[in-house]
Amino acid sequence: MYNNNEFNDADFGIFLLESKFIAPGKEKFLVHWARKFLQYRKKNPQMAWPDQLPLFLENLTISEGYKDWQIRQADQAVRLYFNNFLSPKDT
């Protein structure tokens, strides 16, 4: 059971490797994006994460100038974190 207010890089990375959702070697990038989203989320923790995700992705696009593939990777990471890693009652 995981609390979505606490992020454990190693546990999420191991989950990604064991689940085979992504190619080996990519887990560190998805862990990075999940961590970055959870930091962004602290600005408005009452907002549901599905409502906050588009704002986060837009923020990445505008303010930090990431490439399209990086934005898609960030989206994938957040969705894997909340939909697959955390238990349904935590989300």
Side-chain angles (χ1 to χ4, degrees), residues 10-54:
D11 287 347
F12 185 48
I14 290 168
F15 164 79
L16 291 170
L17 285 171
E18 291 177 350
S19 67
K20 301 187 186 207
F21 283 119
I22 59 167
K26 303 291 183 188
E27 67 282 349
K28 64 184 175 184
F29 301 108
L30 275 77
V31 167
H32 163 79
W33 290 120
R35 183 184 323 107
K36 195 166 182 73
F37 176 74
L38 291 171
Q39 290 170 345
Y40 178 84
R41 210 168 138 59
K42 290 178 183 177
K43 296 177 184 177
N44 193 355
Q46 285 72 29
M47 182 182 277
W49 76 265
D51 297 332
Q52 207 168 27
L53 180 57

Side-chain angles (χ1 to χ4, degrees), residues 1 6-7 12-14 25 34 38 43 49 57 62 64 70 72 74 77 81-82:
M1 179 86 45
E6 299 172 10
F7 183 67
F12 185 48
I14 290 168
L38 291 171
K43 296 177 184 177
W49 76 265
L57 298 174
I62 294 169
E64 302 192 35
Q70 291 172 302
R72 287 190 304 272
Y81 181 75
F82 282 96

